[in-house]
């Protein structure tokens, strides 16, 4: 492997110890990239395998419905998240009205609520015996046959649920893009006679297009990966059909082929997002510019802006949480119930172990990128981070396929050698779950770690090594203390994501091993929404923590960016 392929290290150090450490880190990063890509390749290989006939049956019956539902879901969620995310980001960033500063962070709150939980909350609230219809009948004196009420258990309903919790992806990136825009170009548009709305549509929106495309792509990837909401609402999609094909029909190859189809939609999204931003910079040519002066809205416009920004928070967070609290007060699980505590313990132990494994792996990958930058390292890091774009259902199928083959080989060897089998040593244990989380969330942890490493000057490394410190000593004495906040942030993000993760957990989990997410899903499937509300509230409460951290980071960056010359 040549230096031209690896790239030159950021700090030239000819000592054998440094070069050995550099090669070891590259080897670890390569192994991790292989570990991540293996289940995805295992799914892709299923295309050329012969299934048990389930795929032909599905093609004749529901495959057209699956594709149409998937396309409809993408269209509705994409349009909804784009409109809400871009519109609210523009209003709170470039306009001033009562409550605008509070709404800057409140608009992120729905990010803490998993889509399946908001679906359960709205199902109970809008049911015939729920508070909404009961209040209507009591107020107007109606009977059940006197009025029509919309049913949300369909494709538009599930699209609405997903939109309400996924628009913050677009909001975050669009707001960041608007904050980075210079006031010069917008003032130029205003001097040429453009109204504030016209300046937004013709200047501000096109400059933010790459960020908006990235946000919509992220939202759509999450929508395609959803399992709990579409399953509960009775909408047939790839994720629900994969689950039924694997566990209902028992056809592993057919499930893999369906997972490949879902992976194709994800790759299409990635390609569209890449084409939308490749080689393009929409901006004012640098960070040193005057920030945009917010427009003070008049009373009528201010009221409309307040309503437009408050409505997503109301529908996506306040009302669902109020519905869950009502259900918990009616007949929720006790927080000190032994069974509930066992589910919580499983969730926390699993999330904690996953955070430790994933953050350790992400640190090694990011550190390899620091000490050995180059085309090869960059490619390895990209492959290692690809799992976040892949739905949990696809990862679960790939992992069970890959580990199932490994278990079969080990069992056969053990039978032949020792006369006793090993059973499902890997695919039937928590190892498979940790593997799934490593593939799915490595990119989530790598982001904060890479960001933290970029903020450490390379001169510190050079000075330490000049004084005789080894690479290990530099990492332990200099990098580790300076990366403490980044590592904690990465661990927290992975912890919360694992706590909320449903599709990969429900497919890969060992027998008789339930988490809070699975407990909530099972109770909701049995229509025991009151009992499900307790676990749902715990998941949401913990999910709020990274949202708070994120809002504080955004507020800090905004203050720094508003200083003269920032």
């Amino acid at each position: 492997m040549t230096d031209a392929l690896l790239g030159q290290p950021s700090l030239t150090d000819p000592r054998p110890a440094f070069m050995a450490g550099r090669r070891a880190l590259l080897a670890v990063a390569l192994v991790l990239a292989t570990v991540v890509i293996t289940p995805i390749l295992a799914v892709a290989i299923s295309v050329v395998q012969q299934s048990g006939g389930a795929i032909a049956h599905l093609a004749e019956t529901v495959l057209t419905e699956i594709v149409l539902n998937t396309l409809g879901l993408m269209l509705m969620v994409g349009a909804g998240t784009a409109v809400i995310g871009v519109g609210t980001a523009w209003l709170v960033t470039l306009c001033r009205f009562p409550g605008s500063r509070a709404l800057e962070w409140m608009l992120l709150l729905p990010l803490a609520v998993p889509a399946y939980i908001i679906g359960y909350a709205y199902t109970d609230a809008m049911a015939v015996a729920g508070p909404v219809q009961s209040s209507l009948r009591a107020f107007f004196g109606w009977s059940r046959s006197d009025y029509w009420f919309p049913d949300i258990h369909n494709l538009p309903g599930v699209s609405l649920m997903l939109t309400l919790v996924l628009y913050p992806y677009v909001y975050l990136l669009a707001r960041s893009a608007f904050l980075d825009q210079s006031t010069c170009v917008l003032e130029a548009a205003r001097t040429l006679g453009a109204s504030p709305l016209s300046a937004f549509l013709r200047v501000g929106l096109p400059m933010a297009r790459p960020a908006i495309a990235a946000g919509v792509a992220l939202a759509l990837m999450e929508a395609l990966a959803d399992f709990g909401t579409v399953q509960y609402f009775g909408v047939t999609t790839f994720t629900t059909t994969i689950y039924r094909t694997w566990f209902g029909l028992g056809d592993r190859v057919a499930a893999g082929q369906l997972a490949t189809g879902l992976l194709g939609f994800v790759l299409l999204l990635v390609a569209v997002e890449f084409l939308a931003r490749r080689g393009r910079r929409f901006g004012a040519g640098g960070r040193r510019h005057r920030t945009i002066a917010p427009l003070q809205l008049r009373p009528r416009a201010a009221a409309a802006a307040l309503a437009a920004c408050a409505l997503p928070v109301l529908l996506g967070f306040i009302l669902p949480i109020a519905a869950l609290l009502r259900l918990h007060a009616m007949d929720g699980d006790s927080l000190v119930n032994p069974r509930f505590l066992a589910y919580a313990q499983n969730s926390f132990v699993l999330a904690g172990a996953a955070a430790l494994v994933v953050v350790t792996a992400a640190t090694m990958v990011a550190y390899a990128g620091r000490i050995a930058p180059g085309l090869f390292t960059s490619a390895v890091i990209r492959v290692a981070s690809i799992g976040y774009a892949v739905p949990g259902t696809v990862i679960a199928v790939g992992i069970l396929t890959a580990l199932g083959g490994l278990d079969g080989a080990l069992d056969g060897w053990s039978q032949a050698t020792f006369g006793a089998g090993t059973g499902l040593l890997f695919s039937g244990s928590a190892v498979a779950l940790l593997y799934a989380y490593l593939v799915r969330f490595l990119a989530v942890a790598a982001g904060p770690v890479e960001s933290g490493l970029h903020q450490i000057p390379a001169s510190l490394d050079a000075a330490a090594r000049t004084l005789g410190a080894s690479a290990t000593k530099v990492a332990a004495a200099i990098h580790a203390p300076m990366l403490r906040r980044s590592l904690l942030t990465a661990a927290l993000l992975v912890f919360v994501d694992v706590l909320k993760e449903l599709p990969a957990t429900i497919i890969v989990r060992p027998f008789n091993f339930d988490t809070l997410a699975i407990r909530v899903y099972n109770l909701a499937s049995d229509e025991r929404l009151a009992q499900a509300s307790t676990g749902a509230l715990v998941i949401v409460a913990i999910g709020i923590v990274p949202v708070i951290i994120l809002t504080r980071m955004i507020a800090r960056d905004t203050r720094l960016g508003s200083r003269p010359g920032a």
Side-chain angles (χ1 to χ4, degrees), residues 249-546:
L249 302 179
D251 195 329
R252 175 186 62 81
V253 176
Q257 292 170 346
L258 287 170
T260 306
L262 178 55
L263 187 60
F265 278 95
V266 174
L267 293 177
L268 177 63
L269 278 177
V270 173
V272 169
E273 189 271 334
F274 174 76
L275 291 174
R277 61 176 173 82
R278 65 171 184 179
R280 298 174 183 172
R281 286 184 58 86
F282 296 80
R287 296 279 303 176
R288 295 184 176 275
H289 56 264
R290 287 189 298 124
T291 55
I292 301 171
L295 176 67
Q296 190 67 44
L297 298 181
R298 295 179 179 178
R300 184 173 298 180
L306 175 61
C309 292
L311 190 60
V313 180
L314 181 67
L315 297 177
F317 185 80
I318 296 175
L319 290 182
I321 298 305
L324 291 174
L325 289 172
R326 169 184 168 272
L327 287 169
H328 175 68
M330 289 172 52
D331 191 24
D333 275 344
S334 170
L335 292 174
V336 295
N337 183 290
R339 292 186 64 188
F340 181 83
L341 291 176
Y343 297 131
Q345 180 181 351
N346 288 344
S347 296
F348 294 152
V349 170
L350 189 62
L356 179 62
V357 171
V358 175
V359 172
T360 301
T363 304
M364 292 180 178
V365 171
Y367 207 70
R370 178 180 178 87
I371 70 169
L375 293 177
F376 177 78
T377 311
S378 178
V380 168
I381 292 174
R382 284 182 177 272
V383 172
S385 302
I386 199 175
Y388 189 66
V390 181
T393 312
V394 176
I395 293 173
V397 170
I399 284 176
L400 289 181
T401 301
L403 293 185
L406 179 60
D407 279 334
L410 284 175
D411 186 73
W413 174 82
S414 180
Q415 288 278 8
T417 306
F418 305 107
T422 58
L424 300 178
L425 193 62
F426 295 107
S427 58
S429 68
V431 172
L433 266 179
L434 292 176
Y435 186 8
Y437 298 144
L438 174 65
V439 176
R440 183 84 168 92
F441 300 122
L442 182 60
V444 174
V449 177
E450 287 179 355
S451 177
L453 280 174
H454 288 160
Q455 295 176 18
I456 300 176
S459 58
L460 292 179
D461 303 46
R465 287 212 287 269
T466 300
L467 295 173
S470 64
T472 304
K473 182 68 173 178
V474 171
I478 297 178
H479 294 159
M482 299 182 73
L483 283 176
R484 186 180 307 162
R485 179 175 296 179
S486 298
L487 293 174
L488 287 175
T489 301
L492 180 60
L493 290 174
V494 174
F495 185 93
V496 174
D497 277 340
V498 169
L499 202 66
K500 297 190 296 184
E501 173 67 23
L502 180 61
T505 306
I506 201 170
I507 294 176
V508 180
R509 66 190 169 113
F511 177 74
N512 203 27
F513 183 88
D514 286 345
T515 63
L516 282 177
I518 295 175
R519 166 72 171 172
V520 170
Y521 169 78
N522 288 336
L523 289 174
S525 299
D526 294 339
E527 297 300 329
R528 291 186 287 171
L529 292 175
Q531 290 176 273
S533 65
T534 306
L537 286 169
V538 172
I539 293 173
V540 173
I542 297 173
I544 291 176
V545 177

Side-chain angles (χ1 to χ4, degrees), residues 105-198:
W105 62 267
M106 291 179 68
L107 281 161
L108 291 172
L109 289 176
L111 202 60
V113 188
Y116 57 89
I117 287 180
I118 197 176
Y120 303 156
Y122 271 102
T123 294
D124 175 77
M126 301 182 73
V128 174
V132 175
Q133 293 198 52
S134 297
S135 299
L136 287 174
R137 290 194 297 269
F139 184 81
F140 291 103
W142 290 338
S143 65
R144 178 63 187 91
S145 59
D146 291 335
Y147 66 95
W148 172 86
F149 198 80
D151 181 18
I152 61 172
H153 287 75
N154 47 38
L155 182 60
V158 77
S159 299
L160 176 61
M161 299 297 107
L162 290 168
T163 297
L164 289 175
V165 298
L166 295 178
Y167 80 82
Y169 286 106
V170 184
Y171 168 79
L172 265 175
L173 295 179
R175 175 165 158 73
S176 177
F178 293 146
L179 286 170
D180 286 342
Q181 289 178 5
S182 170
T183 187
C184 304
V185 289
L186 295 174
E187 286 179 348
R190 296 296 304 276
T191 58
L192 293 174
S195 65
L197 178 60
S198 178

